[in-house]
Amino acid sequence: MSVWEMLAVFAAGVGAGTINTIVGSGTLITFPVLLATGLPPVTANVSNTLGLVPGSVSGAIGYRRELKGQRSRILRLGSVSLVGGLAGAALLLALPSDSFDTIVPVLIGLALVLVVLQPRLAAALRRRQEAAGGDAGHPDGGPALLGGMLFSSAYGGYFGAAQGVLYLALMGLLLRDDMQRINAVKNVIAALVNGIAAVFFLFVAEFDWTAVLLIAVGSTIGGQIGTKVGRRLSPTVLRGVIVTVGLVAIVQLLVR
């Protein structure tokens, strides 16, 4: 990489770490930047997955106050998510690279739809809870949440864009809890899934270690930024940035 490309990857890591801590979808920032440096899509994806692990851990540490009293929930959801993440990582390498080139633009498009619809999902949740007198949802999420986390984590192990948005939507709709506490759990689950996928990739995939290091440092810084100032930022602005960058990623993949 040139110096300017390295700076761009580092800045993308900071942005991804910040956005992942707040809502998720940071991969839509880093992935297109890695593609722009000339990395093949699969190499860019596995390097990005490993690089974002420290950022997820950083965000989880920043939300440690909201994690109090949620140990059993994290153990239950985390164990299912680890299985899903490993399955998704294996699927990434089992399928031909041409399949990744075809599938990822579709996945990014679906992720962008989820990002745009997130406010409506949250509003629907509030209306549902109000109509039920505040007792909507299973206290533990039930089998529906476990199944949803399994499949969402498989998606995250394959390609993590909007992985956090999926988690927030599922837990927000199926759990009776404050969204900040749910967001804290989301950061832990994302760290687990990215971590298990990264460990798997270490043995079977090719990394660009410069990209991994730059994203790791950047996302760690971004994770702390997300916990301290992210709640003050307009969610509309964040969604606009994510959608714009995601569309750029789709275009880059289609014209390669």
Side-chain angles (χ1 to χ4, degrees):
M1 294 185 189
S2 68
V3 173
W4 291 111
E5 287 175 335
M6 293 173 66
L7 288 173
V9 172
F10 173 76
V14 174
T18 302
I19 291 176
N20 275 343
T21 301
I22 301 168
V23 293
S25 304
T27 291
L28 296 181
I29 301 292
T30 47
F31 187 67
V33 173
L34 292 178
L35 292 180
T37 66
L39 292 181
V42 173
T43 302
N45 188 40
V46 297
S47 300
N48 178 67
T49 297
L50 180 56
L52 288 178
V53 171
S56 297
V57 174
S58 176
I61 292 173
Y63 269 92
R64 59 189 176 276
R65 287 178 296 180
E66 288 83 355
L67 289 172
K68 291 181 179 179
Q70 300 201 78
R71 180 178 179 181
S72 61
R73 176 181 290 172
I74 291 171
L75 290 174
R76 184 176 61 257
L77 298 180
S79 59
V80 171
S81 299
L82 283 173
V83 173
L86 185 59
L91 183 63
L92 173 66
L93 298 182
L95 294 175
S97 59
D98 290 343
S99 298
F100 184 85
D101 294 344
T102 303
I103 293 170
V104 167
V106 178
L107 295 180
I108 294 178
L110 292 174
L112 296 182
V113 172
L114 287 172
V115 170
V116 172
L117 292 180
Q118 188 183 14
R120 295 186 180 183
L121 290 173
L125 169 65
R126 287 193 297 269
R127 289 194 297 269
R128 180 168 173 254
Q129 290 177 331
E130 290 170 0
D135 291 330
H138 190 288
D140 296 318
L145 180 58
L146 291 177
M149 295 297 286
L150 176 67
F151 286 107
S152 297
S153 298
Y155 164 77
Y158 184 83
F159 184 67
Q163 171 188 2
V165 175
L166 286 171
Y167 291 152
L168 287 175
L170 283 167
M171 289 189 286
L173 290 170
L174 297 172
L175 291 174
R176 296 199 303 261
D177 210 337
D178 177 75
M179 284 302 295
Q180 291 299 332
R181 282 169 53 82
I182 289 174
N183 193 41
V185 175
K186 177 265 293 179
N187 287 328
V188 175
I189 299 298
L192 291 173
V193 171
N194 286 341
I196 192 66
V199 170
F200 177 80
F201 292 147
L202 280 173
F203 294 98
V204 295
E206 179 180 349
F207 289 85
D208 185 299
W209 290 103
T210 300
V212 170
L213 179 61
L214 291 170
I215 293 176
V217 175
S219 66
T220 300
I221 296 171
Q224 292 302 302
I225 293 173
T227 59
K228 293 180 179 179
V229 304
R231 294 169 186 163
R232 304 175 185 175
L233 300 177
S234 167
T236 301
V237 173
L238 283 174
R239 282 192 293 274
V241 172
I242 294 169
V243 170
T244 300
V245 175
L247 290 174
V248 171
I250 292 174
V251 171
Q252 287 182 337
L253 284 166
L254 293 178
V255 301
R256 286 177 68 87

